[in-house]
Amino acid sequence: RPESNELSLAIFYGRDGARLSHSHQSQYHYVLQTLTLWREVLHDMFMLWHKADQDLLARNNRYRLVDTGQGLNRVQRCPNVSKSIHAVLHRTQKSCSGWVGSSVVHLGDHNVPNALMFIDKYNQIALILNPIVRCLEYVEAAARGNINPSVTKYITDTFGDPIHLLKLILADFFRSAFDGSGADNFFDAGSCIDGRLTSAWNWCSQIEKKCYFPVFLLSGFVGFNGAPESY
């Protein structure tokens, strides 16, 4: 259960751009399942990349040049990647108690035109999560008194204390980065497997508007597309 209304993960369709309606408990499981799936995808990324090469280079797997709404793209079937990612998804679902949201994986359509776009999309998970983890570690260091006392005082005066700020950042991320937003319609975002990443990127695009954004900057944040060595 949430400690307070401020830290509740509940989201409602139409409020703050959300396209989903989940209770606090449902959203907790939705986010946990999504992060578990992302972990499994990254663990199997080498295998998925290998399957993507097979799909892209198969002589009998022709492509069509199509305007997908994001420019002209090669739309091509992804049978090997599809089989592999559905195996990863099934494994994740078995490890979770129930499943919240859709299990649709977009491949070979206007959302994810080909296997290369699939790999590029899921390679961005680390670009999203690493800066957040770095900021959280910075706030934890403030709680231990291991950073500049002036920064710790700023955090305490503005947010109450570092631990509360930690919870505030996580609660906002778990709500707003997993609310089905980020596209023009429910089919392109929503709760489908790819829509979860779309929502996360939508949250990233609004980071400058967050009350805690100065703390991100203090932690060394340079952007979600920064060079990996920056993190």
Side-chain angles (χ1 to χ4, degrees):
R1 287 178 285 182
E3 292 183 15
S4 64
N5 289 334
E6 184 183 32
L7 299 179
S8 172
L9 303 184
I11 57 175
F12 303 93
Y13 184 93
R15 183 183 297 180
D16 299 323
R19 289 185 177 275
L20 304 173
S21 291
H22 286 160
S23 67
H24 171 82
Q25 186 180 35
S26 293
Q27 184 68 1
Y28 173 88
H29 288 292
Y30 178 71
V31 173
L32 178 61
Q33 291 165 6
T34 303
L35 293 175
T36 302
L37 175 64
W38 288 357
R39 181 192 65 192
E40 295 300 311
V41 168
L42 293 185
H43 182 268
D44 285 344
M45 182 56 74
F46 180 81
M47 178 269 293
L48 290 168
W49 206 312
H50 177 68
K51 298 296 183 181
D53 282 347
Q54 290 181 342
D55 285 336
L56 289 165
L57 302 176
R59 291 181 179 273
N60 61 344
N61 191 17
R62 302 177 66 85
Y63 65 82
R64 297 175 295 117
L65 284 177
V66 177
D67 185 353
T68 61
Q70 303 179 49
L72 205 60
N73 283 279
R74 297 183 177 191
V75 177
Q76 184 183 38
R77 291 174 59 253
C78 314
N80 291 295
V81 169
S82 179
K83 182 178 179 180
S84 298
I85 189 60
H86 278 96
V88 173
L89 175 60
H90 180 66
R91 186 171 71 238
T92 304
Q93 289 174 322
K94 285 184 63 177
S95 70
C96 300
S97 54
W99 188 257
V100 181
S102 170
S103 299
V104 172
V105 180
H106 289 286
L107 281 169
D109 58 15
H110 74 278
N111 287 291
V112 184
N114 53 60
L116 180 61
M117 295 292 284
F118 170 87
I119 292 297
D120 178 66
K121 190 178 183 81
Y122 282 91
N123 263 334
Q124 294 170 16
I125 292 173
L127 295 179
I128 295 173
L129 297 184
N130 280 342
I132 299 171
V133 171
R134 176 166 181 160
C135 181
L136 296 176
E137 290 175 342
Y138 183 78
V139 175
E140 286 179 332
R144 296 192 299 268
N146 293 339
I147 63 172
N148 190 311
S150 298
V151 176
T152 302
K153 184 177 185 303
Y154 161 73
I155 291 175
T156 301
D157 291 346
T158 307
F159 302 100
D161 63 73
I163 297 302
H164 181 71
L165 173 58
L166 200 72
K167 295 177 181 179
L168 191 70
I169 294 172
L170 286 170
D172 181 64
F173 178 63
F174 293 157
R175 280 193 307 265
S176 302
F178 301 87
D179 62 359
S181 63
D184 295 331
N185 57 70
F186 187 86
F187 182 74
D188 290 344
S191 66
C192 68
I193 300 304
D194 304 282
R196 301 171 194 229
L197 262 177
T198 302
S199 297
W201 268 123
N202 189 55
W203 178 87
C204 292
S205 70
Q206 300 173 17
I207 188 67
E208 294 89 351
K209 301 176 183 177
K210 305 295 184 180
C211 63
Y212 48 76
F213 180 60
V215 182
F216 265 75
L217 295 177
L218 288 167
S219 71
F221 177 74
V222 295
F224 290 102
N225 282 321
E229 58 266 24
S230 300
Y231 307 133

